[in-house]
């Protein structure tokens, strides 16, 4: 297991499982397994939308290489029906941190930059910059824009 997050109703908790490439959903009242849902390779951080019209669980999968030339994806599943929806390949590499902003309808993904441009400014840590990429919650599509951040971004959060 890597990360644990509770559904907004508090009845279930979700666990990302790195070795088996899945998320397990368990019932809080008795820790019984409700569902195992396949993800991309090496699932890491979990984030749930509290929007009842979009009951999505987003999972960063750092080493998913199902598409040639890419490394990483975000798996989306419905935490109420326990169904896999899709793997989103965005303009990112090795995504790790993830945050949902239900108010703005966006998912923020902290990720590395393995093959993109070198930074336009000098850094003390050297190497390539990282990025925050965006996913539209309503369409489940990545946005073209991204924000430049320091090398190796690990986590991200949203404040109201």
């Amino acid at each position: 297991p890597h990360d644990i997050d509770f559904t907004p109703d508090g009845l279930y908790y979700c666990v990302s499982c790195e070795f088996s490439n899945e998320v397990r959903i368990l019932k809080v009242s008795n820790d019984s397994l409700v569902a195992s849902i396949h993800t991309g390779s090496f699932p890491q951080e979990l984030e749930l939308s509290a929007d009842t019209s979009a009951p999505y669980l987003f999972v960063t999968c750092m080493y998913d290489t199902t598409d040639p030339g890419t490394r990483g994806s975000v798996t989306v599943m419905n935490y109420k029906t326990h169904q896999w929806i899709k793997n989103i390949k965005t303009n990112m590499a090795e995504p790790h941190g993830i945050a949902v902003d239900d108010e703005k309808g966006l998912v923020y993904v902290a990720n590395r930059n393995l093959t993109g441009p070198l930074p336009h400014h000098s850094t003390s840590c050297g190497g390539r910059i990282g990025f925050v990429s965006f996913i539209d919650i309503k369409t489940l599509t990545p946005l073209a824009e991204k924000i430049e951040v320091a090398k190796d971004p690990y986590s991200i959060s949203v404040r109201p």
Side-chain angles (χ1 to χ4, degrees):
H2 180 85
D3 194 18
I4 298 173
D5 204 353
F6 289 84
T7 57
D9 60 13
L11 298 176
Y12 302 93
Y13 60 98
C14 307
V15 181
S16 61
C17 302
E18 295 174 347
F19 184 74
S20 59
N21 296 322
E22 65 186 350
V23 166
R24 294 182 183 178
I25 299 176
L26 297 101
K27 197 170 187 175
V28 169
S29 62
N30 61 9
D31 294 319
S32 62
L33 180 64
V34 175
S36 294
I37 305 163
H38 186 72
T39 65
S41 296
F42 208 64
Q44 295 292 288
E45 303 300 318
L46 307 169
E47 189 72 21
L48 293 103
S49 171
D51 182 346
T52 56
S53 68
Y56 298 136
L57 167 62
F58 297 91
V59 185
T60 54
C61 302
M62 286 186 71
Y63 301 139
D64 192 12
T65 55
T66 53
D67 292 339
T70 65
R71 186 165 177 155
S73 69
V74 174
T75 295
V76 183
M77 54 190 72
N78 184 312
Y79 62 80
K80 287 189 174 190
T81 64
H82 312 127
Q83 297 296 310
W84 176 91
I85 296 173
K86 69 188 298 186
N87 282 354
I88 300 172
K89 299 289 187 166
T90 67
N91 53 352
M92 63 180 159
E94 296 184 2
H96 193 273
I98 191 163
V100 171
D101 186 340
D102 285 317
E103 188 174 306
K104 292 185 179 170
L106 293 172
V107 178
Y108 307 106
V109 185
N111 58 94
R112 291 179 173 157
N113 172 12
L114 299 179
T115 60
L118 290 170
H120 62 272
H121 59 282
S122 61
T123 65
S124 60
C125 59
R128 299 183 188 282
I129 54 168
F131 291 109
V132 173
S133 299
F134 304 93
I135 298 169
D136 182 299
I137 291 178
K138 298 297 182 202
T139 64
L140 297 178
T141 57
L143 303 181
E145 65 186 89
K146 53 188 173 183
I147 296 174
E148 185 178 301
V149 294
K151 180 181 175 184
D152 265 349
Y154 185 83
S155 183
I156 189 167
S157 65
V158 175
R159 284 194 297 185

